[in-house]
């Protein structure tokens, strides 16, 4: 999963978007938020969810950068919140395995 976390570290997004995502991630609840973003059903594992979220966020960022009229800032922040939340859980699991 280090590759997924490396991909996240390489992302460059506007500071205000990331600040909102970090603040929102404090209230992130996987079972509540993730189904709304990825669809209902069985939740994927953290790494798989993160990969799907990265793909969704990339599409949203492309819309943002191109000035697409269908771009939703709220959806973009929601996806970023989920990405930060899932990454926190993944990092915590990795650090727990190292101890």
């Amino acid at each position: 999963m280090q590759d997924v976390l490396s991909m996240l570290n390489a992302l460059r997004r506007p500071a205000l978007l990331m600040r909102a995502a970090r603040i929102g991630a404090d209230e992130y609840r996987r079972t509540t938020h993730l189904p709304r973003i990825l669809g209902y059903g069985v939740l994927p594992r953290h790494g798989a969810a993160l990969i799907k979220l990265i793909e969704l966020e990339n599409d949203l960022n492309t819309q943002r950068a191109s000035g697409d009229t269908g771009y939703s800032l709220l959806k973009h922040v929601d996806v970023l919140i989920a990405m930060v939340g899932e990454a926190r859980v993944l990092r915590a699991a990795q650090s727990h395995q190292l101890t």
Side-chain angles (χ1 to χ4, degrees), residues 47-91:
L50 205 44
I51 290 170
K52 288 180 182 182
L53 290 167
I54 289 170
E55 291 170 357
L56 283 171
E57 192 279 333
N58 188 45
D59 291 342
L60 289 165
N61 194 58
T62 300
Q63 289 178 345
R64 178 191 65 81
S66 68
D68 188 329
T69 58
Y71 171 71
S72 169
L73 176 62
L74 293 175
K75 184 173 182 178
H76 198 170
V77 171
D78 206 25
V79 170
L80 285 168
I81 288 169
M83 285 173 59
V84 171
E86 290 294 316
R88 285 179 181 176
V89 172
L90 202 55
R91 283 187 183 106

Side-chain angles (χ1 to χ4, degrees), residues 4-79:
V4 175
L5 295 176
S6 297
M7 288 169 49
L8 283 180
N9 289 334
L11 285 179
R12 298 291 171 244
R13 298 298 182 255
L16 189 57
L17 272 177
M18 291 312 300
R19 183 171 181 204
R22 283 191 289 279
I23 291 168
D26 291 339
E27 301 298 321
Y28 175 72
R29 300 294 175 262
R30 183 174 216 266
T31 56
T32 304
H33 295 99
L34 203 55
R36 186 178 68 238
I37 297 168
L38 297 181
Y40 291 91
V42 177
L43 293 177
R45 300 182 83 167
H46 295 289
L50 205 44
I51 290 170
K52 288 180 182 182
L53 290 167
I54 289 170
E55 291 170 357
L56 283 171
E57 192 279 333
N58 188 45
D59 291 342
L60 289 165
N61 194 58
T62 300
Q63 289 178 345
R64 178 191 65 81
S66 68
D68 188 329
T69 58
Y71 171 71
S72 169
L73 176 62
L74 293 175
K75 184 173 182 178
H76 198 170
V77 171
D78 206 25
V79 170

